Amino acid sequence: MRTRILYLLRIYATTILLFIVAKVVFMLCYGSNHDMQATDYLSVVRHGLSLDLSTALYFLIVPFLVCLLSVWFPISRWVLRIYYGVVAFAFALAFVADTSLYAFWGFKLDSSCLQYLSQPSGITQSVSVGYLLLRLLMIVLLTIGIYWLYTFRTEDKHHRSLLNSNHEPLRLKMLQTAFYVCLMPMIVVGIRGGLTESTTNIGQVYFSQNQFLNHSAVNPVFSFLYSATHQLGDLSQYHFMDEEKCHQLVSDVYTTSSINCDTLLNCQRPHVLVVLLESCGEEFASVMPRLQQLKNEGINFSQCYGNTWRTDRGTICVLSGYPSFPGISVMKMPEKSRRLPGIARTLKGQGYATSYVYGGDINFTNMRSYLISNGWERLTSMDDYSYDERHSAQWGVRDDITFETIYQQILKLQPQQPQLMGYSTLSSHEPWDVPVQRHDDEILNAFAYLDDCLGNFIDKVRATPAWNQLLIVLTADHGISYKNIDRSKPLAMNHIPMLWLGGAIKEPRTIDVLCNQSDLPATLLGQLQLPHDDFLFSRDVLSATYTYPTAVHNYYNAQLLIDSTGHILYDFDARRYIVEESTNAERLLNVNKAILQYTTADLQQ
């Protein structure tokens, strides 16, 4: 009995040690980019320990049951060897993925990464082959090392007897069985995190105003398992209040009608081009002089904010006016995305021809299915280009080439047949491989290239006959974290351009009302004097009904809300503010919760 208990304790301690070492390595990888001190390592380990202790118990269950059964039956050592091999690989994969993805995503490993495994081209296009091979090598070496830690003492004579029950008397077997049965409730309580109403959760390890330290304390294995079991089926976590109070709080937020609108256009049925500039936050304005110049020539919505942090989510926000959600991609839900309203669907019903251009893999994240079901008729993607063009950049076709595709479509426009064109750029995305070298910083260089492509495109289109009947809408799919701008500075990170250009606008103006990218459909359709009642979450920001300007942004279980009193960024796992800069934070939090409750209720319909 003593041998079995010591064995279980060693396995449990080994698992906890692995989690602690993973935390330290994670901090060593990213600590130089964040404000932290040497003592923070101890603080992270100490505060993260409760989650590590609980998570380690999950992986002790199988050895525990094997030891219990071995009291009565001889069990081959290969049972546990196979189990430890699986666990070693899973841990190695989680540790490497967590440490690698954090640089791109800014939060801990969760199950959303599984959405991209069905189309691995999206991964290989973001990073180099060498980068992936190095990670694969690390996974292999870590798997071997972790497996050795779990099994290195199983060959000595003392431990070979561990799973052999033949030499033990019946009375001792019964005592051991009773002991294990008594331990079971303790393991369950440990996994649950105690006997209180609150169960083990990610937020329990949050301890600092420095979000990086909170993220460092989170166990990546638990984070993945927790998110995998708290997806769409557990949206009840966002039910904060009774329905009447919820509707009361959001009644001023989602006003969809268009009344007494400013008239910005000089023609009722212009050709429309909607351009989603990849990752193009206002934080890159300094290297995009042409975009800044164009703001003086068009209608600049100067206080527009992105709803989300990923292209698949941002695309739906812009084209369907539908909100984003923490940890859930609506584009990956065909049963929901095909029923969404959309600019293309509405304008198609008004006689518009529709087309969309994307130089990458249009099947990625279910994009093709969404576009087709949403009313986009003619799709152009990387498969429609030559071999050299398809391989002009790691993600697919370079922006200068796809901008030329749009230009050629504009040359063919006819006044009697209005057209809606959509276009997503892609070169301003890691690995930032562009054909020019304007800046030493590869990220700034990529956005300078995008700016050149955009400026050249506008110059050429301005000289065409179609210009006078053309409305070009420029916005971004999302912003990104860059240098000292991260989620601790949500306004800077999520501030994106929205600019209307073309001969179809009456005159240059600046619209400084607070809004989201998801407000584009209602605002655009309002200007075209078309109904948009089916866009339940898109607001016409030029309407007299838009009396409570707000902007929302969310990512993994956290949501930002901005209004005239300031802004808050609230973490629903930790149940605390990440950022709070408002004169009425309590009301803002209630509205924030009501928005999430209201929108997730619609998501389930």
Side-chain angles (χ1 to χ4, degrees):
M1 178 174 177
R2 178 175 176 271
T3 300
R4 291 188 177 90
I5 296 303
L6 289 176
Y7 173 76
L8 290 175
L9 287 175
R10 181 176 72 80
I11 296 301
Y12 185 52
T14 299
T15 306
I16 295 170
L17 179 62
L18 288 170
F19 291 156
I20 291 174
V21 171
K23 284 180 173 57
V24 173
V25 173
F26 179 85
M27 296 179 72
L28 288 173
C29 289
Y30 295 109
S32 61
N33 298 326
H34 297 86
D35 182 18
M36 56 173 287
Q37 302 173 350
T39 55
D40 290 327
Y41 285 89
L42 291 176
S43 297
V44 164
V45 170
R46 178 167 62 88
H47 286 90
L49 188 59
S50 65
L51 197 53
D52 294 338
L53 292 172
S54 177
T55 307
L57 286 174
Y58 282 99
F59 297 94
L60 191 66
I61 291 175
V62 170
F64 177 86
L65 292 176
V66 169
C67 286
L68 171 58
L69 293 173
S70 71
V71 173
W72 298 95
F73 311 102
I75 297 179
S76 171
R77 286 174 295 163
W78 283 103
V79 173
L80 285 178
R81 286 184 176 183
I82 293 172
Y83 173 71
Y84 292 138
V86 173
V87 170
F89 175 73
F91 282 4
L93 186 61
F95 297 156
V96 173
D98 178 51
T99 305
S100 301
L101 289 174
Y102 191 81
F104 301 101
W105 289 5
F107 58 79
K108 296 293 281 185
L109 180 70
D110 74 351
S111 62
S112 61
C113 64
L114 298 177
Q115 299 172 2
Y116 305 98
L117 293 182
S118 60
Q119 292 161 314
S121 61
I123 302 173
T124 57
Q125 290 166 339
S126 296
V127 294
S128 67
V129 174
Y131 180 97
L132 291 175
L133 290 176
L134 178 60
R135 267 64 185 174
L136 289 174
L137 177 61
M138 292 169 62
I139 291 171
V140 171
L141 294 177
L142 269 178
T143 300
I144 295 171
I146 295 171
Y147 178 77
W148 179 83
L149 284 175
Y150 278 127
T151 61
F152 79 101
R153 291 190 62 191
T154 58
E155 295 304 322
D156 65 42
K157 181 182 291 187
H158 187 59
H159 283 78
R160 281 202 300 270
S161 66
L162 177 65
L163 304 181
N164 185 1
S165 63
N166 294 333
H167 67 286
E168 296 176 340
L170 178 61
R171 180 173 175 274
L172 181 57
K173 290 181 180 182
M174 294 180 67
L175 286 173
Q176 288 189 65
T177 302
F179 178 76
Y180 285 121
V181 171
C182 291
L183 279 180
M184 287 181 182
M186 297 176 63
I187 293 177
V188 173
V189 170
I191 289 175
R192 188 181 183 278
L195 296 173
T196 62
E197 183 178 345
S198 177
T199 58
T200 301
N201 62 82
I202 292 171
Q204 73 187 45
V205 304
Y206 282 36
F207 69 98
S208 174
Q209 294 299 315
N210 184 337
Q211 193 70 348
F212 171 70
L213 298 182
N214 294 330
H215 289 166
S216 299
V218 172
N219 185 299
V221 177
F222 181 88
S223 178
F224 178 86
L225 294 174
Y226 183 87
S227 65
T229 56
H230 289 73
Q231 288 295 312
L232 188 59
D234 191 37
L235 290 179
S236 59
Q237 64 179 304
Y238 301 126
H239 187 86
F240 304 103
M241 61 196 74
D242 62 66
E243 296 300 324
E244 182 179 352
K245 182 178 180 181
C246 177
H247 282 275
Q248 180 183 0
L249 287 170
V250 300
S251 60
D252 293 334
V253 176
Y254 295 114
T255 52
T256 62
S257 57
S258 295
I259 299 175
N260 299 327
C261 299
D262 285 345
T263 303
L264 305 179
L265 307 180
N266 55 28
C267 56
Q268 190 172 355
R269 292 292 178 268
H271 302 300
V272 180
L273 168 63
V274 179
V275 182
L276 276 74
L277 304 170
E278 171 66 48
S279 306
C280 187
E282 289 285 10
E283 59 190 305
F284 300 108
S286 62
V287 294
M288 302 188 73
R290 288 303 310 272
L291 178 59
Q292 308 318 307
Q293 174 193 341
L294 291 172
K295 289 179 182 179
N296 298 320
E297 303 174 10
I299 299 168
N300 178 30
F301 293 79
S302 62
Q303 293 299 313
C304 182
Y305 288 84
N307 293 69
T308 186
W309 58 283
R310 295 291 293 183
T311 298
D312 51 331
R313 295 157 168 83
T315 300
I316 282 184
C317 291
V318 172
L319 301 181
S320 288
Y322 200 67
S324 59
F325 301 91
I328 298 172
S329 172
V330 180
M331 190 178 281
K332 297 286 289 184
M333 302 166 58
E335 70 281 0
K336 182 65 178 181
S337 63
R338 65 171 172 257
R339 292 186 283 115
L340 294 179
I343 297 173
R345 180 174 292 164
T346 299
L347 292 186
K348 186 178 176 182
Q350 296 294 318
Y352 274 72
T354 61
S355 61
Y356 205 93
V357 173
Y358 176 59
D361 180 3
I362 207 165
N363 294 311
F364 188 54
T365 65
N366 203 48
M367 187 175 182
R368 180 190 297 274
S369 171
Y370 163 71
L371 291 174
I372 291 175
S373 61
N374 209 244
W376 297 93
E377 299 169 305
R378 181 162 55 94
L379 305 183
T380 303
S381 66
M382 63 185 300
D383 294 335
D384 299 297
Y385 291 86
S386 69
Y387 177 86
D388 290 339
E389 290 171 330
R390 290 198 304 270
H391 293 84
S392 58
Q394 200 153 330
W395 267 99
V397 186
R398 283 196 324 253
D399 286 353
D400 61 302
I401 300 173
T402 49
F403 265 113
E404 178 64 22
T405 301
I406 295 294
Y407 173 69
Q408 293 299 323
Q409 290 184 6
I410 290 174
L411 290 178
K412 299 175 183 177
L413 292 177
Q414 300 296 323
Q416 66 274 15
Q417 173 61 69
Q419 295 259 0
L420 170 65
M421 297 164 284
Y423 169 44
S424 293
T425 71
L426 57 73
S427 293
S428 49
H429 188 292
E430 65 265 10
W432 319 108
D433 53 336
V434 296
V436 299
Q437 186 62 47
R438 299 260 309 274
H439 298 272
D440 293 335
D441 185 303
E442 62 179 0
I443 298 178
L444 296 181
N445 189 62
F447 283 100
Y449 164 73
L450 172 61
D451 190 59
D452 285 344
C453 293
L454 176 61
N456 292 337
F457 170 74
I458 295 297
D459 289 344
K460 289 167 51 176
V461 173
R462 198 192 306 270
T464 67
W467 177 261
N468 291 333
Q469 198 182 340
L470 180 63
L471 172 63
I472 302 174
V473 177
L474 303 175
T475 189
D477 50 359
H478 56 83
I480 61 172
S481 175
Y482 174 72
K483 290 192 174 179
N484 64 334
I485 295 179
D486 55 25
R487 299 201 187 280
S488 65
K489 299 177 181 177
L491 298 190
M493 179 176 172
N494 300 303
H495 189 196
I496 63 172
M498 186 186 290
L499 175 63
W500 295 13
L501 295 166
I505 66 170
K506 283 186 174 181
E507 59 184 2
R509 287 184 56 181
T510 295
I511 309 294
D512 59 3
V513 64
L514 187 64
C515 62
N516 269 129
Q517 61 186 167
S518 56
D519 296 322
L520 171 62
T523 304
L524 174 62
L525 295 175
Q527 287 297 304
L528 300 179
Q529 300 180 29
L530 294 174
H532 47 84
D533 298 338
D534 50 341
F535 293 81
L536 301 178
F537 303 100
S538 184
R539 294 87 53 91
D540 183 347
V541 302
L542 300 174
S543 171
T545 59
Y546 189 53
T547 58
Y548 180 36
T550 56
V552 176
H553 170 88
N554 53 44
Y555 62 105
Y556 178 63
N557 227 16
Q559 183 158 286
L560 167 74
L561 179 61
I562 316 167
D563 72 1
S564 61
T565 69
H567 65 279
I568 61 167
L569 177 57
Y570 189 80
D571 191 308
F572 292 99
D573 279 331
R575 299 178 184 177
R576 59 177 288 183
Y577 296 104
I578 299 173
V579 177
E580 180 209 333
E581 297 182 17
S582 172
T583 58
N584 196 350
E586 183 177 356
R587 169 175 164 73
L588 210 53
L589 177 58
N590 287 331
V591 175
N592 204 17
K593 290 180 176 179
I595 288 173
L596 197 51
Q597 177 173 325
Y598 186 65
T599 55
T600 52
D602 183 86
L603 182 63
Q604 298 174 83
Q605 295 179 1

